[in-house]
Amino acid sequence: MSREPISRRRALGLATVGAAAVVGGVAGWATGVGAPGGRLQPGPAAQPFAEPEVLAARDGVLDVQLTAAAGAQLAGRQTSALGFNNASPGPTLRVHPGELLRVRLINQLDQPTNLHTHGLHVSPERNGDNPFVTVDPGASFDYAFRIPNTHPAGTFWYHPHHHGFVANQIFGGLAGALLIDGGPDLPVDRERVLLITDTTLNSSGQVIPAGPMEKMMGREGELVLVNGQHQPAVQAAYGASERWRVINGCVSRVLSLRIEDHRLTHVAADGYFLPAPVDRDRVVLSPGNRADVVVRPAAVGDYKLITDPHDRGSPGMGGMGSTSRGPITLATLSVSGPPERAVRLPSTLPAPPAPPGPVVRQRALTFAMGMGMGMGMGEMAFTIDGRAFDPQRVDQTVRLGTTEEWLVSNISPMEHSFHLHVWPFQVIEDSTGTPPDAALQDVVRLPARGWVRLRIHFADFPGRSVYHCHTLDHEDAGMMATIQVDR
Ligand code: C2O
Ligand code: CU
Ligand code: CU
C-alpha cells in the first residue's frame, strides 16, 4: 500500500499538525479547543437553520455546473474547507423520474476527483454514475444522469468518488443532497433537508488531515455540522408535522440520532419508503445512509437533536480504539406557537416490492482487515475476499435481470458497512438477529465478526460499478471491489 503522496496533502491546504494531535480526537468543541494546534471556534450556536440553495429541473432537464474548490464557509466561519460552488454542502439538486440531470463538474482542487450519485438507480456507464472516471486538476467533465421513469421518489446525495481521495474530499466538505421528487407525497406541513457532515478544522480554518491510526479506525471529525452549520435552531410550530430528510454524509461516523422528549416517525430509508411508518426513539445511520423521519413538535420549548456515541469496535491494536465518546448536539428544535392541528399519516406507505425470485445465484463475500505482507508500521490492509481494490479487475460478474443472494461476512473486530452502487438490496437477515425494517436500501451496517444476507435484483443497467465499505477511509485503503453486470 503506498503512502499518501505529499501533493494530496498540499492540495487540500491541509495543516501539518502531528498525527498525535488528532489521534486522541475528542467529540466535542469544548475539549477540542486548546488541543495542539488549536481549533477553530465555531460561530455562535442557535443561528436560524438554513438549507443549501435548491436547483430544480425545468422542462425535464436540470443543467448544473459544480465547481469543486477550497474556500467554503463552515460553522459560521470562512474556512479553507472544500465546497461545490463555494458552499458546503453544495446545492440541493431536485429532479423527477424521467428527467435528465446534467452536471458539469469543474475540478479546481489540485488532485483528481469525480462525482457519484449515491443511491440513484441509473446507468453506471460512460458519463453516467461511473466511479472509474477521473477528472484531473484544472479539468472538467460533463455527466449526464437519465433518471428512469420508474425511479422511486426519495432522498439521495452526491459526493466525490475518486479512489484514494474520497475520505479527504468529503471530510474537506464536498457533498450535497440529491432529491427525486414526484411523490406520493406525505401530508406534512413542511420538509427540510439535514445533510450531516463532520470535519476537524484548525484555528486558521484549515481541515486537519487524519493520521494513520485515525484512518485505520475511520476518522471522526470533532465538529459535526448540519448543512454546514454548527448547532442551528430549527424553528417549528407546535403540533405541525415536518418531514426531515436526514443524510449521513460523515466519512466514518455512525449517527445515532434522537430528539429530546420526542419520537421520530421513520418513513423512508435510503430513499425508499418503509412498508409503514414506525415510531422510534432513535434512528441509526451508517455513513451514506439516509432516513426520512416525520417530526411532530410535541410541546412548546427547546429540544436538542443529538447523536449518541456508537461503538464501531477497534482494530484491536494496543488499546487503540473507541470512536465517538459522548452525546453531541447537532441542532435545537425550537417549538413555539399555539398548537396546530396534527395531520394524520397514512397507516401504510408505498414501499417498493421485494426483489422477485427465483434466486439464481448465491455468493459469499468476506470483509477483512489485517497487517498485510510488507506493510509498514500502522499500515493495515483493508480487503474484500482477500484483495485490495483494483479498478482493472472484475470481481463479480452478474447476469442482468437476475436476482441473487449475497452473504456478506465481516471477519474483523470492527464494524464495517456494505454499500453497492446502482442496484439497491433487501436485507434478509443479519448475525445480530435484528429484524430488517427497510424494504430496500443501499448501505447496511456489517457487524464486527458478523454477517448480513442480502437479496439483490439486477433489474436493469448493465455495466461496471463498485461495492465497498462506506467507512470511507477503509474504502480509500482498498476495501472496495468491482461488479460487472452483463446482458
Ligand atoms: Cu456514497 Cu460508493 O458511495
Ligand atoms: Cu454510492
Ligand atoms: Cu470499513
Side-chain angles (χ1 to χ4, degrees):
M1 222 173 272
S2 62
R3 298 209 148 262
E4 178 179 70
I6 276 296
S7 63
R8 198 191 303 175
R9 198 162 278 241
R10 255 196 330 228
L12 283 170
L14 294 176
T16 46
V17 170
V22 279
V23 163
V26 279
W29 270 98
T31 36
V33 171
R39 292 296 186 269
L40 183 82
Q41 194 59 49
Q47 296 297 298
F49 171 86
E51 290 185 45
E53 175 193 12
V54 174
L55 303 174
R58 269 209 202 142
D59 301 325
V61 180
L62 174 56
D63 256 314
V64 301
Q65 191 164 299
L66 292 178
T67 302
Q73 177 159 318
L74 274 186
R77 303 288 188 207
Q78 196 51 50
T79 72
S80 51
L82 308 181
F84 286 117
N85 304 348
N86 277 315
S88 176
T92 296
L93 310 180
R94 303 192 77 137
V95 290
H96 292 81
E99 292 184 328
L100 179 64
L101 167 61
R102 282 197 294 234
V103 179
R104 170 163 295 176
L105 177 67
I106 300 173
N107 182 3
Q108 288 182 1
L109 313 172
D110 59 7
Q111 55 183 237
T113 190
N114 65 14
L115 197 72
H116 168 48
T117 51
H118 180 126
L120 284 199
H121 183 55
V122 295
S123 172
E125 297 192 295
R126 295 179 293 273
N127 64 338
D129 184 25
N130 181 346
F132 305 104
V133 165
T134 295
V135 186
D136 284 320
S140 71
F141 188 82
D142 290 329
Y143 285 95
F145 309 97
R146 166 70 64 187
I147 317 297
N149 287 313
T150 52
H151 202 288
T155 305
F156 303 89
W157 64 301
Y158 63 88
H159 62 76
H161 212 290
H162 194 292
H163 180 63
F165 301 89
V166 183
N168 275 354
Q169 291 181 5
I170 296 181
F171 200 69
L174 293 177
L178 172 45
L179 309 182
I180 307 292
D181 288 324
D185 279 326
L186 292 175
V188 292
D189 298 295
R190 67 168 300 160
E191 64 165 64
R192 306 177 190 267
V193 169
L194 289 82
L195 174 44
I196 300 173
T197 56
D198 63 355
T199 195
T200 305
L201 297 165
N202 73 9
S203 51
S204 41
Q206 293 170 306
V207 178
I208 296 182
M213 279 309 208
E214 273 199 316
K215 288 186 184 173
M216 193 185 302
M217 288 300 300
R219 73 186 81 177
E220 296 192 3
E222 293 175 12
L223 190 53
V224 189
L225 304 170
V226 180
N227 296 339
Q229 290 183 290
H230 173 66
Q231 300 180 343
V234 179
Q235 303 291 343
Y238 176 21
S241 294
E242 300 198 354
R243 176 184 186 170
W244 289 12
R245 300 168 177 268
V246 184
I247 302 166
N248 185 355
C250 298
V251 165
S252 305
R253 178 187 297 278
V254 174
L255 295 172
S256 179
L257 299 168
R258 64 184 163 93
I259 300 177
E260 291 176 321
D261 300 331
H262 284 73
R263 302 196 83 199
L264 303 168
T265 305
H266 195 189
V267 294
D270 288 359
Y272 292 86
F273 278 115
L274 306 184
V278 183
D279 282 343
R280 301 187 189 287
D281 293 326
R282 72 176 62 248
V283 170
V284 178
L285 298 178
S286 244
N289 275 141
R290 289 84 67 211
D292 287 31
V293 295
V294 175
V295 175
R296 287 180 269 206
V300 169
D302 285 344
Y303 309 93
K304 288 174 179 156
L305 170 65
I306 287 170
T307 184
D308 284 314
H310 172 88
D311 186 7
R312 290 186 285 118
S314 88
M317 303 185 51
M320 263 311 293
S322 126
T323 38
S324 3
R325 286 152 218 198
I328 297 172
T329 300
L330 302 180
T332 302
L333 176 66
S334 205
V335 182
S336 60
E340 278 187 23
R341 215 186 50 159
V343 297
R344 187 182 292 267
L345 286 177
S347 57
T348 62
L349 296 167
V359 171
V360 304
R361 178 148 180 189
Q362 312 218 347
R363 293 173 203 253
L365 282 69
T366 304
F367 281 51
M369 54 196 288
M371 301 308 284
M373 296 277 284
M375 300 279 154
M377 258 305 284
E379 297 234 15
M380 182 74 79
F382 289 85
T383 60
I384 300 177
D385 298 329
R387 300 183 293 246
F389 180 64
D390 176 355
Q392 307 304 329
R393 195 179 61 215
V394 172
D395 294 294
Q396 311 291 342
T397 305
V398 170
R399 189 69 185 276
L400 187 70
T402 61
T403 296
E404 298 200 353
E405 222 170 75
W406 290 19
L407 177 65
V408 186
S409 302
N410 171 12
I411 58 170
S412 81
M414 276 197 83
E415 177 175 312
H416 297 283
S417 58
F418 175 84
H419 172 51
L420 172 63
H421 288 203
V422 182
W423 305 275
F425 50 79
Q426 178 193 19
V427 176
I428 305 291
E429 58 174 336
D430 73 17
S431 53
T432 70
T434 312
D437 44 37
L440 290 178
Q441 64 195 83
D442 57 59
V443 182
V444 63
R445 281 162 52 212
L446 207 45
R449 303 190 202 285
W451 50 265
V452 294
R453 204 151 59 80
L454 316 171
R455 202 166 286 172
I456 315 165
H457 184 210
F458 295 93
D460 39 24
F461 301 121
R464 197 152 159 272
S465 194
V466 292
Y467 52 94
H468 57 88
C469 177
H470 216 290
T471 301
L472 294 169
D473 282 301
H474 297 171
E475 178 273 302
D476 277 338
M479 204 173 242
M480 176 152 76
T482 68
I483 173 172
Q484 168 83 45
V485 176
D486 287 330
R487 284 182 196 285

